Amino acid sequence: MKRILIVGAGGQIGSELTTYLRKIYGDTNVIATDVRPNERLAETGPFFTLDALDAEALAGLVSREKIDAIFNLVALLSAVGEAKPQVAWQINMGALNNSLEVARQYNCALFTPSSIGAFGPTSPKDKTPQDTVMRPTTMYGVCKVAGEMLSDYYFTRYGVDTRSVRFPGLISNVTFPGGGTTDYAVEIYYEAIRTGKFTCPIPQGEYMDMMYMPDALRACVELMEADPAKLIHRNSFNITAMSFTPEIIYAEIKKRLPEFTMDYNVDPVKQAIAASWPNSLDDTCARDEWGWKPEWNLSSMTDDMLDVIRKKNLK
Ligand code: VAH
């Protein structure tokens, strides 16, 4: 990768991936775009407002900037996607289709994240295999499975260098996620510092795979820089770092903040989505094919999250 375009750079992943890639490849070689202006991203490198559904504008930018790798991060997440499924399909699949077509026309590599949301209630729940039944029951999951298959099609039919990982819930301290089922695992840290109490929308006992954002960012680069001859899979690799329930993350925070309290007000939409997803993933293929290995666990992530949030002086 030399000249990189990030589509949807203003979101939870993109806002940190832009900074991360600029440190590796050089500020001027990472062009960030989003449908809304973003002053923070424009401060450290090139930024353009771009509607990912505007195929002509996307193609023009890729051509002008001589892009050789695209990160397509545009997606309405699982819970918000259930509130407006048709909009989620139009945006998620429209942005992917445009990215695939432009990648084909201008010979770009393309990374599009998938998710544990691509699995459904009939997928094996524990140590969910790389290749297994995938019948998601959310529009988000339908988009992710369709996106995986479309991306594999563009690789086999046109030779487009498409690659992808199935991200677990991502936890970060820079940009809040929006409309996700795993958002609680970010919100709980902020409430532990801000108010000392948290009302959890996910029921006790509900395991979900999770990952700290620094591991997710490194996974994006390691996969995109991996030797293509060693890739048996492409779209999309299971990867994970940890799996926990609300009471497990609560107990980890409480070790550090003994006064912290949590109660439950379960959100039925998020409960149904979480229940349809795996409890834990088997990420052997990512480890074997491109050397994936997480570096953060629940304890080290909790130390870092609380440390960074304290320094934000939230009121
Ligand atoms: C969501 N954060 O909750 C996203 C993610 C695995 C979860 O895809 O929808």
Side-chain angles (χ1 to χ4, degrees), residues 111-119 128-134 144-145 148-149 152 164-170 209 211 223 233-240 281-283 290:
F111 176 92
T112 301
S114 183
S115 159
I116 60 172
F119 295 106
T128 306
Q130 174 67 42
D131 300 309
T132 188
V133 173
M134 301 181 80
K144 287 306 183 185
V145 172
E148 289 188 14
M149 292 190 286
D152 271 349
S164 171
V165 295
R166 291 168 185 152
F167 277 132
L170 297 182
D209 286 276
M211 182 179 293
L223 173 57
H233 297 81
R234 281 184 167 262
N235 305 280
S236 175
F237 284 93
N238 284 2
I239 60 169
T240 189
L281 288 194
D282 174 352
D283 61 4
W290 49 276

Side-chain angles (χ1 to χ4, degrees), residues 78 82 117-119 135-143 181 272-273 276-277:
S78 56
E82 287 310 290
F119 295 106
R135 305 287 293 180
T137 50
T138 63
M139 176 55 85
Y140 177 72
V142 167
C143 291
T181 302
I273 294 172
S276 73
W277 288 354

Side-chain angles (χ1 to χ4, degrees), residues 3-283:
R3 296 278 297 161
I4 300 167
L5 175 71
I6 303 176
V7 186
Q12 183 199 22
I13 300 174
S15 57
E16 292 197 60
L17 185 62
T18 301
T19 308
Y20 185 78
L21 292 175
R22 284 176 172 169
K23 282 190 183 125
I24 298 170
Y25 297 95
D27 291 349
T28 59
N29 290 318
V30 181
I31 290 87
T33 69
D34 199 276
V35 70
R36 284 178 289 276
N38 190 309
E39 280 176 21
R40 193 176 70 79
L41 295 179
E43 278 164 10
T44 59
F47 177 88
F48 299 93
T49 51
L50 172 75
D51 180 346
L53 301 185
D54 182 345
E56 201 176 322
L58 176 59
L61 189 56
V62 165
S63 171
R64 278 194 310 278
E65 296 294 334
K66 297 178 176 43
I67 299 297
D68 67 356
I70 300 170
F71 285 81
N72 165 43
L73 306 177
V74 174
L76 264 63
L77 298 182
S78 56
V80 70
E82 287 310 290
K84 38 189 177 180
Q86 286 69 31
V87 174
W89 174 266
Q90 283 155 12
I91 292 175
N92 296 6
M93 300 312 291
L96 174 60
N97 197 51
N98 287 347
S99 298
L100 284 164
E101 268 300 288
V102 168
R104 180 180 67 80
Q105 290 159 24
Y106 293 93
N107 193 29
C108 303
L110 174 62
F111 176 92
T112 301
S114 183
S115 159
I116 60 172
F119 295 106
T122 54
S123 307
K125 276 275 181 218
D126 299 308
K127 288 292 175 203
T128 306
Q130 174 67 42
D131 300 309
T132 188
V133 173
M134 301 181 80
R135 305 287 293 180
T137 50
T138 63
M139 176 55 85
Y140 177 72
V142 167
C143 291
K144 287 306 183 185
V145 172
E148 289 188 14
M149 292 190 286
L150 204 50
S151 298
D152 271 349
Y153 177 82
Y154 267 72
F155 171 66
T156 49
R157 179 74 168 65
Y158 301 115
V160 178
D161 185 2
T162 56
R163 306 185 193 190
S164 171
V165 295
R166 291 168 185 152
F167 277 132
L170 297 182
I171 295 163
S172 64
N173 50 49
V174 174
T175 304
F176 267 106
T181 302
T182 61
D183 294 0
Y184 90 92
V186 176
E187 294 153 1
I188 189 170
Y189 285 110
Y190 280 86
E191 288 314 306
I193 298 291
R194 195 163 26 203
T195 62
K197 53 188 175 193
F198 180 61
T199 297
C200 187
I202 300 294
Q204 201 163 1
E206 187 61 68
Y207 277 93
M208 285 190 275
D209 286 276
M210 301 282 181
M211 182 179 293
Y212 200 26
M213 187 61 81
D215 272 341
L217 302 176
R218 182 172 51 81
C220 292
V221 172
E222 288 180 0
L223 173 57
M224 292 305 279
E225 295 288 9
D227 176 358
K230 292 189 178 149
L231 298 182
I232 299 165
H233 297 81
R234 281 184 167 262
N235 305 280
S236 175
F237 284 93
N238 284 2
I239 60 169
T240 189
M242 58 191 96
S243 173
F244 53 72
T245 62
E247 62 270 28
I248 290 173
I249 186 173
Y250 165 66
E252 195 63 33
I253 295 170
K254 199 168 174 67
K255 284 181 197 169
R256 296 150 176 86
L257 299 171
E259 304 305 307
F260 182 41
T261 61
M262 180 170 80
D263 59 15
Y264 292 88
N265 179 17
V266 173
D267 175 329
V269 171
K270 291 188 176 182
Q271 176 182 18
I273 294 172
S276 73
W277 288 354
N279 293 327
S280 61
L281 288 194
D282 174 352
D283 61 4

